[in-house]
Amino acid sequence: MLAWLATDAAMASAPLQQSFLQPMGPVAAEQFTHLLRVVGITMVVILPVLVGVPFILWRYRYGKPRGDYTPEWEFSKPLEYALWGVPVLVVIVLASWLCYSTQKLDPYKPVGPEPLGVQAIGLDWKWVFIYPEEGIATVDELAVPVGRPVEITLTTDTVMQSLLIAPLTGQIYAMPGMTTKLNFSATRPGEAQGENTQFNGSGFGRQKFTVRALAPADYASWIARGRNGLVLDESTYATLRRRTVLADARSDLGLGSAPNRSS
């Protein structure tokens, strides 16, 4: 297997998308739709308050006061039904939608046939992605072909970590000695930012990586270029496993700051 190390400078200069509000695939699109559903149903509770409070202030205090004076009034069955019934219905609807979306967005559930298999390893403080089919590996760079399902098998060679690629898929944890699965796909070309969301030390803030969704032809070219990288052997992996960020790892491997590849 070969290692292709992206540079920190390249990551910083690229216009990376970082939110599921800019979906690049069906998983993030469903998350966005779920958010809109939640906002819509909660408006049933919020809008009457936003409209009713100014209206009541105007009618009963600031405008010409109107209404019967009923100091002994203390109960209204219609109001009780509304005050308790509407929130109960809102909770039921939200819970139903949440169960539906949770089952639909199960990270272990394949999103299509013949997925691209990628093995992800979380280190301090970098990510290693291994492509068994292509015989290459990358550091802090994940490329996927548009239109093809992707299945990431995730683990960590250090403490517990959590991988998130917001424009493409949700968050999932990884633990030492265990593996988890993450299935997603990209529906359009673009670049997104992936990150570790579980604090794991001083380099946590720089443990981010670039995700490239490429057209099939561009993906094939990317794979071909990656085959000119360093050999990912025990010595190289031992260097990557040190508690360093990517820039320091490149220096330890004698690569400098510019992209370098060797066989």
Side-chain angles (χ1 to χ4, degrees), residues 27-114:
V27 175
E30 176 61 28
Q31 291 175 331
F32 181 49
T33 301
H34 179 70
L35 174 64
L36 294 181
R37 287 196 295 256
V38 171
V39 171
I41 191 62
T42 51
M43 285 297 102
V44 174
V45 177
I46 296 174
L47 282 179
V49 175
L50 296 179
V51 175
V53 169
F55 173 75
I56 291 174
L57 290 175
W58 169 78
R59 172 163 179 167
Y60 295 103
R61 186 166 183 89
Y62 296 110
K64 184 178 180 181
R66 287 172 288 176
D68 298 331
Y69 178 65
T70 54
E72 303 300 325
W73 179 88
E74 63 180 16
F75 180 79
S76 171
K77 187 176 290 185
L79 279 178
E80 290 293 328
Y81 283 141
L83 291 175
W84 290 100
V86 172
V88 168
L89 289 176
V90 168
V91 170
I92 291 174
V93 172
L94 288 177
S96 300
W97 276 340
L98 178 60
C99 290
Y100 166 78
S101 295
T102 299
Q103 294 177 357
K104 185 176 182 180
L105 299 177
D106 180 359
Y108 280 71
K109 182 179 179 181
V111 297
E114 300 181 359

Side-chain angles (χ1 to χ4, degrees), residues 148-219:
R148 182 179 178 183
V150 179
E151 181 181 78
I152 294 181
T153 302
L154 181 67
T155 189
T156 172
D157 200 10
T158 172
V159 297
M160 183 173 71
Q161 301 190 34
S162 178
L163 184 142
L164 172 64
I165 310 171
L168 282 170
T169 186
Q171 171 186 336
I172 189 166
Y173 283 97
M175 298 180 66
M178 301 177 63
T179 60
T180 49
K181 298 282 187 179
L182 187 60
N183 285 269
F184 64 92
S185 65
T187 55
R188 63 179 178 86
E191 294 188 351
Q193 178 177 275
E195 58 185 326
N196 170 31
T197 61
Q198 177 73 34
F199 179 76
N200 63 339
S202 60
F204 164 74
R206 298 179 65 183
Q207 192 177 349
K208 305 180 187 298
F209 59 94
T210 301
V211 183
R212 306 185 193 279
L214 305 173
D218 295 332
Y219 177 75

